Structure formats: C-alpha cells, structure tokens
C-alpha cells in the first residue's frame, strides 16, 4: 500500500471491524436458531421465520425513523451526533437487546426473543449508518475503500463462524441431537452466548467512547428535502403493518385453536399406533388418524391460503408504493428527493429482492435439509451447510475486494482464481476445527470454479456482474428445484455465491447520477434491508402450503428481477448520458 498523508488509526479500525463482525455473526447465526426454535417451540415454518421478520424490519424502521427525523430537522441526525457517538449509541442499544434476549430465554418466551433480536438489530441499523463513512475517516480518504473492504471481509467471516458458534451453544458437543429431543434441551449456553455478546457490545462502546484519538465525525451537511418521498415511505410502512396484523391475529383464531387440538390428537394417536400390536386396533387407529388428517386439512388449507394472500399483499404494497413514487416523480420531481431518479427506485426494489433472497435461502435451508429427499438431517447437524452457505458470500466478497488493490492485469487474474479457493479452505478449516464432518461438501469446489469463470467474464463491471450473477442465481435455483440430494443442495448453496457480489453492484448502479441526493439515496437503499423481513416469512408460508422444496420458487423470481434491474437501469442511465461500462463496483458490502 502506498504511503498516505494521514496515517490509518489502526486501534480504532480494529474496534470498528469488531462491529462489522457482530452484524455477520448474529445474522448468520439466526439461520441455526430458526430450525431450533421451530422444534423447541413447536412452530410452523412461517412462525420460525419471524426471527428474520423481527431482525430485518428493525433495520428498516431504524433507517426510516432516522430519515424522518433528519428531514423534519433539515439536518442529518447521524452527522449531528457524530459517527463516533452514533456507533456508541447503536452498541448500547444492541446491548439492551442482548439483555432482553437473555431474560426471554430464561422465561422460555419465543416472542420475547423476537423483541430482543429486534432491539439488537435496531442498534445495528444505527451502527451501519455511521460505520461505513466512519471507516473512511480513520485514515487517508484515498484508502477508505480498502478499510471498508477489510471490514466487509470480517463481516463475512462472522457469517461463516456464526452458525458454528450458535450451533455449539444450542446443541453442545458434536453429537447429533434428535429434533424430538430438542424440546428437552437446557438453554443455559444460549444465555452464556448472549451474555458474552452483550458484554462485547458494552466493551466496544466503552472503547469508542473513551478513545481520545478517534475523530468525532460530526457533519453538519443539510438534509435534502423530500416531503413526498417521506409520506410515501410512511404510507408503505403502514400498509405492510396492516397486511401483517391479520396474519399474526389468525394464530389466535378459532380455526388455529382447532388445528392445534387436531394436531395434538393426531400426535397422540400416532404414538398409540406405534405401540399397538393388535391388528384390529391398528386398523382402527389408522382410520381415526386418516379422518383427523382430512378434518385438519379442511380447516388448515383455506386458513393458510388467506395468510399467504396477506403476506403477498405486504410485499406487493412495498413494490407498488415505490413504483408509484417513480411514476409520480416523472410528472413533477419537486419534493421526491432521490426518488425522482428511476435507477434509485428500481435499485430499492433490487436491494429488497437481494436481501430477501439472501436471507430466505439460508433461513429456509434447515427445514429443506430435514426432509428425507435432502438427507433427513437433524437441527444439530445443520451447521456445516449453513456455514458453507454464508461462507459462499464470504468467498465472493473476498474475491470482489481484489479490485481495491493495485495489482496488474495478470496478478488480478491469478488472485481472482486463487482467492475463492483460499476462502473455501478457510470455511472447511474452521468447521473441521469445530469437529464437523465436511467431506460431503468437498465437491462444492466445482460450484466455486463456476463462480471464478463468471468473475473473469464480468470483469467487475456492475451491470454485467448483476446480469451474469442474477442469471447464475436463477439457473442454480431451477437446478435445485428440479433435483434432490447433493446436486440440489450444492445448487441451493450456490445461491450464496450468486448473492455475494450483488450488494455493491446494485448500490453502484442505483446511486450513479444522483448528485447532491447521493447520501439520501444511500439511506433509501439501506431501508430496503426490509426485504429480509418480508420475503423469508413469505417463503415460509408458501412452504406450509406447497412444501419447503417447491417454495424455493420464490428465490427464482428474486434473482430474475435483479438480472432485469441491471438491463433496465443500464438503459435508463444511458438516457441520462451515463455509460455504465466505465463504472466499477468496489466489491465491499
């Protein structure tokens, strides 16, 4: 690295990197927590996905509240507090969330855990808004992208080891724990895990607060007015809430209570059937079970269909509100702020799809792997697969970060070929150290080889990258839908490879040409992390109706839109006189 006028503040950078690690660790750890909670609390697939709903809607609401406050006051709230103090506030809020999580685990209350995760993520939303510009402040601005990429790489490392650590906290040793035994597990180690995480939040907050070498990062830049955009976002939020309320309330309805009673009766009859040796009584039990199952389906199917319609309405309301903003702003751009740019609005939907598909694949993976066609794995055996899925994002991001370094063309090509396999070996290594059998994932290297070829073809150009990797995602999901066993598992895990490079490419295309609205546009894009709160529960509910394997049709649609976004946005920017082929995405997250 070349000499810089302003030396990098390494102690501050290492502390900041720890914050990035938290985000990845907790988010990926949720993918293990979801199947565990499903069995521990006897939930359906949709209810288990509420972990993602709580976590990612907190990001959205945090960003939205900051935006509303900033536009009312006419100044960026995070800039006024200063990046340093904002990170401290965010860490303290996440520590409060960890405390709520500990109390909820002690009380064995699932919805209390959701509140805890919501508050943890609310703190993350403040941290994330401040952390990226803060990384640039900790040294020479010219090397700011390198620091952001280092932080992004550590974030991805957190996503790779999160599932392993959470798996060990939930299940203890490497021994398989039968899903039926999960209900009887003690949650002491989960309490210890969140005690440690909460303590780390407080220590990091203390280091930031008391460090005199850290710049305050105060910015008094005025916030560009966007009254119409604000009203649209508030209306969109209200619509999403209104669509989710009937879904939540339906779990306390008379139909839901009947379903619970019938499910319990079927379970009792099944147990009796297994013990029965008399042929006549066995036949009677089977007849009773068939009768109860028919009655259950008669009540359950219409209820699940109704819930699915409401969840689809929540997603549709977000898309319609954004397209409404895009259409209205063309007629009169006054008051729409960054939303008057089509690339930004289409980019918001792309981020919604990207975060949604990234989270949905990982969060529903545990349920998929529990089915006989995919190995019938117990929840305690999922960590290697979940770790490899989130590790696939690390593989792509490490490769995407190569462009930051001043390498010649030959060195860059060699690094693009070597780095993904080094990252793959890191994931295999950390799982092996945790005494997980990884032999069944060695041939996943073939998928990584395909990704390397796609990287070399896309040449780090955001539009080409999104098109190629969007189509790669579509292809992988279709292969997964049409097959079972290891081929399908590899195909679904490849969704992580497809997602790995999408964030910076979408971001680059969406904020290009925004001028003074760039900061506001970035804030709008961060809000669309909401996709992680809507799309996984939607896939979870679809799974309750048509089965977990077929529900992976949802990721196909998400990847297809992302590829379409690249094509439409390239044309839109071309009309604005911008050549996207000269743009480069920085590879960071």
């Amino acid at each position: 690295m070349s000499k810089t006028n302003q030396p990098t503040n390494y102690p501050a950078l290492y502390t900041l990197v720890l914050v990035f690690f938290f985000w990845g660790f907790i988010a990926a750890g949720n993918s293990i927590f979801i199947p565990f909670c499903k069995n521990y609390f006897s939930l359906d697939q949709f209810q288990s996905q509420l972990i993602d709903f709580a976590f990612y809607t907190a990001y959205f609401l945090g960003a939205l509240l900051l935006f509303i406050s900033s536009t009312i006051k006419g100044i960026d709230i995070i800039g006024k507090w200063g990046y340093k103090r904002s990170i401290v506030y965010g860490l303290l809020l996440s520590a409060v969330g960890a405390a709520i999580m500990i109390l909820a685990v002690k009380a064995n209350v699932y919805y209390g855990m959701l509140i805890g995760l919501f508050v943890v993520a609310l703190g993350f939303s403040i941290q994330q808004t401040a952390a990226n510009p803060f990384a640039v402040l900790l040294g020479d601005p010219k090397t700011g992208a390198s620091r952001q990429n280092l932080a992004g790489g550590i974030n991805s490392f957190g996503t790779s080891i999160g599932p392993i650590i959470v798996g060990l906290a939930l299940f203890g040793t490497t021994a398989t724990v039968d899903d039926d035994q999960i209900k009887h597990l003690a949650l002491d180690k989960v309490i210890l895990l969140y005690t440690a995480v909460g303590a780390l939040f407080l220590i990091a907050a203390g280091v930031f607060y008391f460090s005199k070498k850290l710049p305050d990062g105060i910015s008094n830049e005025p916030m560009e007015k966007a009254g119409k955009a604000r009203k649209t976002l508030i209306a969109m939020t209200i619509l999403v809430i209104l669509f989710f309320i009937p879904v939540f309330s339906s779990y306390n309805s008379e139909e839901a209570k009947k379903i619970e009673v019938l499910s319990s009766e079927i379970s009792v009859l099944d147990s009796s059937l297994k013990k029965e040796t008399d042929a006549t009584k066995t036949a009677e039990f089977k007849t009773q079970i068939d009768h109860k199952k028919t009655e259950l389906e008669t009540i359950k199917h219409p209820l699940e269909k109704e819930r699915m319609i409401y969840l689809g309405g929540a997603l549709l309301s977000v898309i319609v509100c954004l397209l409404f903003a895009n259409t209205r702003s063309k007629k009169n751009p006054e008051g729409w702020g960054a939303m008057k740019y089509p690339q930004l609005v289409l980019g918001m939907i792309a981020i919604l799809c990207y975060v949604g598909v990234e989270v949905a694949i990982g969060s529903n993976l545990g349920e998929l792997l529990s089915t006989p066609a995919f190995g019938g794995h117990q929840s305690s055996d999922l960590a290697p697969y979940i770790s490899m899925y989130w590790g696939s994002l690390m593989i792509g991001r490490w490769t995407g970060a190569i462009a930051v370094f001043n390498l010649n063309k030959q060195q860059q090509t060699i690094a693009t070929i070597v780095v993904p396999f080094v990252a793959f070996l890191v994931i295999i290594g950390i799982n092996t150290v945790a005494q997980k059998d990884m032999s069944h994932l060695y041939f996943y290297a073939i998928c990584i080889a395909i990704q390397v070829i796609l990287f070399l073809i896309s040449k780090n150009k955001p539009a080409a990258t999104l098109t190629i990797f969007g189509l790669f995602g579509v292809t992988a999901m279709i292969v997964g839908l049409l097959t079972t066993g290891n081929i399908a598992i590899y195909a679904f895990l490849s969704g992580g490879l497809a997602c790995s490079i999408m964030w910076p490419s979408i971001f680059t295309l969406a904020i290009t040409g925004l001028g003074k609205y760039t900061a506001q546009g970035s804030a709008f894009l961060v809000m669309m992390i909401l996709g992680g709160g809507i799309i996984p529960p939607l896939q979870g509910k679809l799974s309750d109706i048509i089965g977990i394997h077929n529900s992976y049709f949802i990721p196909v649609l998400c990847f297809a839109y992302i590829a379409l976004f690249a094509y439409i946005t390239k044309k839109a920017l071309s009309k604005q006189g911008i050549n996207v082929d000269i743009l480069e995405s920085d590879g960071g997250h």
Side-chain angles (χ1 to χ4, degrees), residues 189-320:
K189 288 186 179 176
V190 179
I191 293 168
L192 282 174
L193 174 69
Y194 271 90
T195 301
V197 168
L200 285 170
F201 287 146
L202 292 173
I203 291 166
V207 170
F208 269 89
Y209 183 77
F210 292 109
S211 175
K212 291 178 181 176
K213 292 182 179 179
L214 282 173
D216 290 325
I218 292 171
S219 169
N220 291 311
E221 286 292 314
M223 173 63 74
E224 296 296 335
K225 298 289 182 186
K228 290 176 185 175
R230 184 173 68 221
K231 285 175 187 173
T232 304
L233 289 167
I234 292 169
M236 184 184 82
T237 307
I238 293 167
L239 282 170
V240 170
I241 293 167
L242 289 174
F243 275 113
F244 266 92
I245 286 171
V247 181
F248 292 141
S249 62
S250 72
Y251 280 90
N252 291 317
S253 65
E254 287 303 316
E255 290 90 345
K257 287 171 186 173
K258 283 179 188 174
I259 289 167
E260 201 172 322
V261 169
L262 284 167
S263 299
S264 179
E265 288 173 354
I266 291 167
S267 182
V268 170
L269 287 167
D270 268 332
S271 299
S272 302
L273 178 64
K274 286 172 186 174
K275 296 172 189 172
E276 192 53 65
T277 53
D278 183 82
T280 308
K281 286 189 176 179
T282 298
E284 283 176 12
F285 278 131
K286 284 182 178 177
T287 304
Q288 286 180 54
I289 289 168
D290 288 342
H291 177 72
K292 294 280 184 189
K293 282 184 176 177
T294 303
E295 191 182 346
L296 178 68
E297 281 307 308
T298 306
I299 301 167
K300 194 175 181 180
H301 187 71
L303 183 62
E304 296 290 28
K305 200 173 175 183
E306 188 183 325
R307 287 168 175 167
M308 187 69 200
I309 290 166
Y310 279 118
L311 288 168
L315 179 61
L316 197 61
S317 65
V318 176
I319 295 169
V320 168

Side-chain angles (χ1 to χ4, degrees), residues 40 196 211 341 528 570:
Y40 190 84
S211 175
Y341 294 95
M528 289 300 102
K570 186 175 181 179

Side-chain angles (χ1 to χ4, degrees), residues 437-516:
D437 178 20
M438 297 298 286
S439 57
H440 48 284
L441 286 170
Y442 290 163
F443 287 107
Y444 187 59
I446 296 166
C447 300
I448 294 162
I450 294 168
Q451 189 199 36
V452 168
I453 294 165
L454 297 182
F455 262 119
L456 294 171
I457 294 168
S458 64
K459 296 178 180 176
N460 208 39
K461 305 297 180 190
T465 299
L466 275 185
T467 304
I468 291 166
F469 280 86
L471 293 174
F472 172 51
V474 169
T475 306
M477 295 303 106
I478 290 173
V479 169
L481 282 165
L482 297 177
T483 57
T484 55
N486 271 346
I487 291 173
I489 291 170
Y490 284 6
F492 288 132
L493 290 178
S494 294
L497 297 173
C499 285
S500 64
I501 203 64
M502 286 182 171
W503 175 278
S505 298
I506 295 169
F507 228 91
T508 301
L509 287 176
I511 63 171
T512 296
L514 264 59
K516 65 178 182 179

Side-chain angles (χ1 to χ4, degrees), residues 38-42 108 178-185:
K38 182 180 179 184
N39 290 293
Y40 190 84
F41 294 104
S42 302
N108 255 18
D178 191 276
D179 282 348
D180 292 330
Q181 298 173 316
I182 283 177
K183 290 182 176 67
H184 309 293
L185 287 177

Side-chain angles (χ1 to χ4, degrees), residues 564-583:
L564 182 65
F565 161 75
Y567 173 74
I568 295 171
T569 306
K570 186 175 181 179
K571 289 185 77 175
L573 288 171
S574 180
K575 283 181 183 176
Q576 296 170 31
I578 299 166
N579 180 9
V580 297
D581 292 327
I582 62 169
L583 297 174

